[in-house]
Amino acid sequence: MQALHITPGNMPPECEVLRQEVRDFLAQEMPAYSKVARAKNWTGKDQTFSRKLAERGWIGMLWPKVYGGGERTNLERYVLLEELLAAGAPVSFHWVADRQSGPLLIKYSPHVLAPQIVPRIVRGEVAFCIGMSEPDSGSDLASIRTRATKVPGGWSITGRKVWTSGANMADYMIALVRTSDRSENRHAGMSQLLIDVKQAQTQGLEIRPIQTQLGGQAFCECTFDDVFVPDDHLIGEEGQGWQQVTGELKFERSGPERFLSSTQLVLEMLDAADPGNPAQAAALGRIVAQYACLRQMSQGVALMMAEGQDPAVATSVVKDQGALLEQGMPDIAHALFADGLDPDSDLAQVLDYLALSVPSFSLRGGTREILRGIIARGLGLR
């Protein structure tokens, strides 16, 4: 068995300067949002808020200036995200584009798609969704069946994606599709295509929002029926989709959103706690200690990535342990505070929301089974 190693460390001074700037900004902006709105955390959507971040250069802050980016460091972006998440800021409009779609376009289509689209991401003008999961595939992306067939001038897509977050609100989708038949290598024959969602809806793309137990329409089912995508919307090389997607998922799994999605519930419990109640003190103390540990791990992963290392196993461990902590939090809150709790209180409403939403925390960005498979392979256990 191989050892898992995460090197802890401290953020450089410029990161702490930025941290204070972000806190000053949030102190002005966040009072406008209710406690329940803050509980939605990075799934809360407000394009006006995203545009305010864009005005400060806080979208695409890592990217080259030729695309409108800020050419700042990955660690500065980490600090920005940490502060936004801790405050429950509504960042969903630009989240996917800033985290992974923009970097993907810059890396794999620097002269065609990136110059057209990335500056619009930086200005907070366009939203992205990711077309990966499919019916009967789940997180096993190697089993996808949606197919893109070569036609004159481009590709014709037929198939179905499901659990596509925000597809009904997105301007663009980056879809993983099959561009050649399956072979013994399950990871071969897949490619990534950029889809103009609004245009595709006039050609045979049907988007059906999925009603969840939260009552919203955060997820969608997307059915493609002979949807045309031009040749220059192929991202990277044909057949290299699997390698590109796995690199993309590293950013999706390693960020602080994987353990800071339920911060509002912690704050509400701390506000409601009785300092003289030993059960509450012990339970909340354990949560804070677990948060501190996960923060050290996540920050250590960020520092390792900033040094050019590829801590893929460590990112999966952070996501897995972060989901475990946050999924257990509603039960702890219920056990400690449910008796006599005013149903109209902020604590009750935040608890109700998160009790319904936390089951999804071990699905998004890769299920627990997939993550633990990655961890087992990385440690030499399978």
Side-chain angles (χ1 to χ4, degrees):
M1 175 177 167
Q2 299 178 23
L4 174 67
H5 179 72
I6 299 176
T7 306
N10 296 316
M11 292 292 179
E14 62 268 23
C15 289
E16 299 309 321
V17 173
L18 174 63
R19 188 186 302 280
Q20 190 57 53
E21 291 176 20
V22 179
R23 286 181 178 178
D24 292 343
F25 168 77
L26 292 170
Q28 292 183 339
E29 299 294 333
M30 289 311 295
Y33 298 93
S34 70
K35 301 291 182 61
V36 175
R38 297 183 198 189
K40 294 180 181 178
N41 207 277
W42 57 280
T43 64
K45 181 174 290 188
D46 184 343
Q47 187 178 5
T48 300
F49 186 87
S50 292
R51 284 181 179 269
K52 290 180 179 178
L53 293 178
E55 289 169 0
R56 287 159 177 78
W58 291 345
I59 298 178
M61 62 191 299
L62 304 183
W63 304 343
K65 290 185 179 178
V66 68
Y67 301 120
E71 295 188 356
R72 301 184 75 166
T73 68
N74 200 34
L75 298 180
E76 288 176 296
R77 182 172 181 273
Y78 183 93
V79 166
L80 169 69
L81 298 186
E82 195 174 52
E83 294 300 321
L84 292 174
L85 295 168
V91 294
S92 176
F93 180 83
H94 68 276
W95 189 259
V96 170
D98 183 55
R99 182 179 64 186
Q100 58 201 93
S101 304
L104 191 77
L105 295 178
I106 291 170
K107 184 173 183 178
Y108 294 108
S109 187
H111 305 301
V112 179
L113 296 176
Q116 298 174 35
I117 298 171
V118 171
R120 298 174 65 199
I121 297 174
V122 172
R123 294 194 295 268
E125 294 177 355
V126 292
F128 273 65
C129 65
I130 303 168
M132 290 190 187
S133 296
E134 296 187 4
D136 304 321
S137 291
S139 290
D140 181 16
L141 293 178
S143 65
I144 64 164
R145 291 179 293 183
T146 296
R147 187 172 185 84
T149 304
K150 193 71 185 77
V151 296
W155 302 84
S156 176
I157 303 176
T158 297
R160 193 151 47 121
K161 297 291 181 182
V162 73
W163 304 117
T164 309
S165 303
N168 54 336
M169 307 278 216
D171 298 285
Y172 295 100
M173 173 191 293
I174 293 178
L176 182 69
V177 297
R178 286 210 163 275
T179 48
S180 62
D181 292 334
R182 295 186 185 187
S183 63
E184 291 184 358
N185 181 358
R186 297 179 72 237
H187 300 152
M190 291 182 273
S191 305
Q192 286 183 296
L193 291 170
L194 177 74
I195 298 166
D196 182 325
V197 173
K198 302 294 189 297
Q199 187 177 53
Q201 285 180 287
T202 69
Q203 299 180 351
L205 169 60
E206 181 183 356
I207 298 178
R208 186 178 67 84
I210 299 171
Q211 291 291 336
T212 70
Q213 57 189 357
L214 288 168
Q217 299 180 350
F219 301 102
C220 298
E221 182 181 59
C222 305
T223 303
F224 296 85
D225 183 9
D226 197 20
V227 173
F228 177 78
V229 174
D231 276 328
D232 62 8
H233 280 210
L234 174 67
I235 300 171
E237 296 180 23
E238 181 187 346
Q240 295 300 305
W242 177 262
Q243 289 81 354
Q244 294 173 194
V245 162
T246 51
E248 189 180 342
L249 285 172
K250 178 176 63 180
F251 292 97
E252 186 176 349
R253 290 171 179 164
S254 62
E257 69 268 31
R258 295 312 176 193
F259 67 97
L260 288 177
S261 297
S262 300
T263 51
Q264 195 60 45
L265 182 55
V266 179
L267 294 174
E268 296 304 323
M269 285 195 286
L270 290 171
D271 281 347
D274 175 1
N277 185 318
Q280 293 179 0
L284 292 173
R286 276 194 294 272
I287 290 174
V288 172
Q290 288 174 292
Y291 261 132
C293 183
L294 281 166
R295 184 177 187 241
Q296 283 294 312
M297 294 171 66
S298 178
Q299 190 169 288
V301 167
L303 288 162
M304 292 166 71
M305 291 173 70
E307 294 172 352
Q309 300 181 50
D310 183 12
V313 176
T315 62
S316 297
V317 172
V318 172
K319 181 184 181 305
D320 182 58
Q321 293 301 303
L324 280 173
L325 169 63
E326 299 206 293
Q327 286 182 326
M329 225 176 290
D331 286 342
I332 295 171
H334 189 270
L336 294 176
F337 300 101
D339 287 346
L341 183 62
D342 179 356
D344 295 325
S345 67
D346 288 332
L347 173 55
Q349 293 183 47
V350 169
L351 174 56
D352 286 347
Y353 176 81
L354 283 168
L356 294 175
S357 63
V358 293
S360 69
F361 290 7
S362 54
L363 297 175
R364 58 192 189 188
T367 64
R368 180 162 290 138
E369 290 76 12
I370 291 293
L371 290 175
R372 292 186 176 181
I374 293 171
I375 294 167
R377 278 195 298 274
L379 297 179
L381 297 174
R382 58 178 292 194

